């Protein structure tokens, strides 16, 4: 299993959140979590050979958890994920972190 982490900026309906995203890769499968103030969803999905992501992310929407399908792109240096919901599209952008 490979693990990557990125510092991120998340655009939410309540404003900008700064945090980190963590990815765990096993073959083409990916899972992980986001850690930002008042925004800590988990996700799972696949990574394609062209470094595009197809993820399912669970968001707490008005007290109810709901899963959304989203897409993104990842490289060794950056990540971008777009999460469309009924009311808002969350945009997540980040750059790699180093231990």
């Amino acid at each position: 299993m490979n693990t990557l982490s990125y510092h991120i900026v998340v655009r939410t309906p309540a404003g900008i959140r700064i945090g980190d995203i963590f990815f765990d890769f096993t073959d083409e499968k990916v899972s992980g979590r986001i850690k930002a103030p008042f925004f800590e969803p988990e996700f799972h999905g696949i990574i394609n050979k062209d470094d595009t992501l197809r993820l399912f992310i669970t968001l707490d929407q008005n007290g109810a958890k709901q899963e959304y399908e989203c897409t993104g792109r990842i490289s060794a240096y950056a990540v971008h994920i777009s999460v469309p919901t009924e009311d808002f599209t969350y945009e997540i952008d980040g750059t790699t972190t180093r231990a």
Side-chain angles (χ1 to χ4, degrees), residues 51-67:
D51 294 331
T52 57
L53 298 167
R54 180 173 175 229
L55 301 175
F56 295 91
I57 190 166
T58 303
L59 300 177
D60 189 347
Q61 298 284 299
N62 302 317
K65 292 190 181 229
Q66 189 164 350
E67 188 172 76

Side-chain angles (χ1 to χ4, degrees), residues 4 6-7 23 51 73-80 93-96:
L4 290 174
Y6 300 81
H7 291 300
F23 290 91
D51 294 331
R73 186 165 201 80
I74 191 168
S75 74
Y77 306 103
V79 64
H80 172 78
D93 291 290
T95 56
T96 192

Side-chain angles (χ1 to χ4, degrees), residues 18-69:
I18 306 295
D20 296 291
I21 190 169
F22 304 91
F23 290 91
D24 294 317
F25 298 95
T26 305
D27 298 321
E28 75 278 352
K29 294 180 182 174
V30 62
S31 63
R33 67 194 179 290
I34 296 171
K35 301 281 270 175
F38 307 105
F39 189 78
E40 296 193 4
E42 294 184 354
F43 57 86
H44 65 278
I46 61 168
I47 182 169
N48 298 305
K49 292 189 186 312
D50 63 356
D51 294 331
T52 57
L53 298 167
R54 180 173 175 229
L55 301 175
F56 295 91
I57 190 166
T58 303
L59 300 177
D60 189 347
Q61 298 284 299
N62 302 317
K65 292 190 181 229
Q66 189 164 350
E67 188 172 76
Y68 293 95
E69 184 175 352

